[in-house]
Amino acid sequence: MKQEPEMAAADTVEITEEQFTAEATAFLEANAKRKAERREFVWGEGPDNAALFEEIDRERERQELDEAKAWRATKYDAGYGWIGGPVELGGSGLPRKYERIWNQLEGQFDTPDGGFFGIGLGMVAPTILTHANPEVSADVLPKMFRADIVGCQLFSEPGAGSDLASLQMRADRDGEEWILNGQKVWTSGAHYSEIGEVIARSDFDLPKHQGLTGFIVDMNAPGVDVRPLRQMTGGENFNEVYFTDVRVPDSHRLGDVNQGWGVALTTLMNERAAIGGGSGGGGSFTKLAAMATHYGVNGDALTRQRLAEIYTQGKVLGWSNQRTMDGLRAGRTPGPEMSLSKMGLVRQMDATSNFVSNTLGEKLAVDTGEWGTFSWAGYVLGFPAMRIAGGSDEVMRNIVGERVLGLPKEPGIDTTSPFRDLRVGTQRSE
C-alpha cells in the first residue's frame, strides 16, 4: 500500500476507502491476532486494574518497548506507520480520514502497546515537522515513525513548571554549536528516548517569552544524565534530566534564535490535544455504576447525583473532543480550545477520584485481595499528576480566560497592570 517517495502526492490519494480498508484488514489478519469478543462488564470478573500509570519494572518495560518497536516497524514498512505524513518524508500521503479508519481497524486486533510513542509522535514530531531544518526533518521523522528512535519532551524545570517562560536552562552559542546547561524535570520516557525536544534560555536580557530557543538534543550525548523520579504510586514513570556542557549543532535548532516560545506553543497545543482526548484511565462510567450497585449505594440520591455528574461531564467532554478532532481533520492547527478539553478531563477525573474514595472508604487504602478495591489506589494517587501534566489547572484557566474569552491578561512581573498606580507607596502623578 505504501507509495514510493518519487510518486506524486496526488497519486497517493487515489485509493478508495473500501480498498484501503480491505488492504489494511488483510495486513492485520496476516500479522496480528483479533481480540477476543468483548464481554459485557460484570463486577468481580476480568482484569482488576484501574491505575492511571502502569507500574512495571524497567526490565519488563524494555521488553514491552522492544515488542512495540518491532510492531511499529512492521506496519511502517507496510505503509501504515505514518498514513497522513508527507510522501517525501516517508509518509503515505493519505488524508486524515484514512488514519481514523486504520485506528479503528487496528483496535480490533491484539497489538503491542503504542503508548511509548505517544509523546514523540503526538507532540515532538509535529513540532519538528513545523519548525526543524528540512534536512533534519527528513532524517529524524521517518526514524521516529518507524520507531527506530523514540522522542521525549524536556520543558518543565524545578523552578519553572507551570510558568514555562520562566525557565532558566542556558543555551550559549559557540560557533556552529550550542552548549546546554541546566536541569529538566517530570520528563516521561527520557530513560528510553534517543532524542528530546528541549527549550532553553538563549538571551537573559530579553523579556522571558522572547529569549528562548528550541533544540533537538541527542539523549545519549555526553553530559546528559537521566535520573528516575519515584512517584507516590510507587512507580518511576517520570525522570529528571541534567545537562552539563551538552553540545548541540545549530542545524538541530527548532525555529529562529530567541523564538522558542512559538516552538513551545506548537508542542503544548498538541500535548493538550492528546491529554484532553484521553478517556480518564480506568474510571469508566460502567465500572463506577457497577461499584455503586455492588456496595448497595446505587439508590442513594447523593450517589446517583455524583454518577450523573460524571456521566454528563464525560458526554460533554466527548462532544468537545469531537469538535476539536473534526477541526484537526480539516487541517486546522490545535489552538487554545485544547485547554478546555484538558480542563474537562481533569474535572471528570477529579469527580471519579472522589466518588471512588467515598464509596470504597478504607478498602481503597488496604490491599485485602478483594476485587475492585485496592486497585483503585493507583487511580486516586495518580490523578493529581494530571492537574499538572500539560499545564496546571491555573494556567489552563488563564489561557481560556485570555485567549478564548478575551479577558484582560492577568497582571504579572512581565505585564503592565491597570491598577499599578494604586499600589501601596506609589505616587500617582496628575
Side-chain angles (χ1 to χ4, degrees):
M1 195 280 296
K2 186 171 182 179
Q3 305 293 328
E4 295 300 323
E6 63 267 17
M7 294 184 67
D11 294 337
T12 65
V13 298
E14 290 182 355
I15 184 172
T16 66
E17 293 183 36
E18 292 75 15
Q19 289 175 314
F20 179 88
T21 299
E23 293 179 11
T25 301
F27 167 80
L28 288 165
E29 293 280 9
N31 292 276
K33 293 182 179 180
R34 281 192 177 271
K35 291 180 178 177
E37 185 176 348
R38 192 170 185 177
R39 298 187 305 167
E40 183 178 351
F41 176 78
V42 177
W43 183 264
E45 298 181 4
D48 180 19
N49 180 25
L52 285 172
F53 307 104
E54 188 175 9
E55 314 297 356
I56 58 177
D57 59 60
R58 290 293 166 90
E59 182 178 353
R60 179 184 163 195
E61 180 184 60
R62 173 53 61 176
Q63 179 183 350
E64 293 185 0
L65 174 60
D66 290 342
E67 293 172 355
K69 281 186 169 185
W71 170 245
R72 180 138 205 106
T74 298
K75 68 180 184 179
Y76 180 89
D77 292 342
Y80 302 108
W82 194 11
I83 295 171
V87 175
E88 62 273 16
L89 294 178
S92 296
L94 296 174
R96 290 179 180 269
K97 63 181 179 181
Y98 289 92
E99 291 187 0
R100 185 169 68 254
I101 294 172
W102 168 263
N103 290 334
Q104 292 172 347
L105 291 173
E106 188 181 22
Q108 300 172 21
F109 290 79
D110 187 11
T111 60
D113 180 17
F116 294 102
F117 316 117
I119 293 175
L121 300 184
M123 306 171 198
V124 178
T127 306
I128 292 175
L129 183 63
T130 303
H131 297 285
N133 178 305
E135 289 76 16
V136 172
S137 292
D139 175 53
V140 172
L141 290 176
K143 294 176 181 177
M144 292 185 72
F145 280 94
R146 194 178 185 275
D148 295 329
I149 58 176
V150 180
C152 64
Q153 171 193 339
L154 301 136
F155 280 15
S156 295
E157 296 184 2
S162 295
D163 186 8
L164 176 61
S166 294
L167 61 84
Q168 297 297 303
M169 181 173 174
R170 298 186 64 94
D172 298 299
R173 187 147 195 175
D174 183 21
E176 291 302 308
E177 292 185 318
W178 293 81
I179 303 175
L180 306 184
N181 283 282
Q183 179 189 358
K184 296 294 182 178
V185 73
W186 311 125
T187 307
S188 303
H191 55 291
Y192 55 73
S193 295
E194 285 79 23
I195 64 168
E197 177 194 349
V198 62
I199 304 293
R201 187 159 301 283
S202 48
D203 192 329
F204 283 80
D205 294 326
L206 291 174
K208 65 179 185 178
H209 287 84
Q210 299 177 24
L212 307 175
T213 302
F215 302 93
I216 304 170
V217 62
D218 179 359
M219 295 300 292
N220 296 312
V224 178
D225 181 17
V226 180
R227 306 177 187 177
L229 288 171
R230 185 171 293 278
Q231 303 128 235
M232 62 182 176
T233 59
E236 296 176 347
N237 298 89
F238 305 111
N239 305 272
E240 55 184 346
V241 185
Y242 292 85
F243 292 80
T244 305
D245 295 331
V246 177
R247 290 187 169 271
V248 179
D250 185 58
S251 61
H252 282 61
R253 172 168 40 84
L254 294 168
D256 295 330
V257 176
N258 295 332
Q259 298 301 309
W261 184 246
V263 174
L265 288 180
T266 299
T267 306
L268 291 173
M269 290 303 101
N270 283 284
E271 177 182 29
R272 287 158 194 165
I275 294 176
S279 62
S284 72
F285 178 80
T286 301
K287 286 185 178 180
L288 299 180
M291 179 187 294
T293 300
H294 177 76
Y295 288 103
V297 295
N298 56 317
D300 176 70
L302 182 56
T303 297
R304 294 174 68 86
Q305 176 64 26
R306 288 169 175 166
L307 280 172
E309 290 175 354
I310 293 171
Y311 179 83
T312 303
Q313 290 165 2
K315 293 296 288 186
V316 172
L317 179 61
W319 292 330
S320 177
N321 288 337
Q322 184 62 54
R323 178 180 59 186
T324 299
M325 293 303 107
D326 288 344
L328 293 176
R329 284 191 286 271
R332 292 197 293 271
T333 302
E337 71 276 3
M338 294 286 78
S339 298
L340 285 170
S341 293
K342 203 266 181 174
M343 289 167 56
L345 177 64
V346 169
R347 183 182 179 189
Q348 187 196 34
M349 293 174 70
D350 185 26
T352 298
S353 181
N354 289 331
F355 178 86
V356 169
S357 300
N358 290 329
T359 303
L360 294 178
E362 68 276 4
K363 292 177 180 288
L364 181 68
V366 180
D367 187 3
T368 63
E370 182 182 352
W371 196 96
T373 56
F374 184 71
S375 62
W376 282 92
Y379 188 101
V380 174
L381 294 176
F383 158 67
M386 299 302 296
R387 289 193 178 279
I388 303 171
S392 69
D393 291 356
E394 293 77 13
V395 168
M396 294 299 98
R397 293 189 182 100
N398 281 347
I399 290 174
V400 171
E402 295 167 11
R403 301 181 191 173
V404 178
L405 301 179
L407 299 177
K409 185 175 178 62
E410 182 175 288
I413 60 174
D414 59 337
T415 61
T416 301
S417 169
F419 306 107
R420 63 187 183 280
D421 294 333
L422 302 181
R423 290 177 293 180
V424 176
T426 300
Q427 295 287 332
R428 179 173 180 174
S429 58
E430 297 295 328

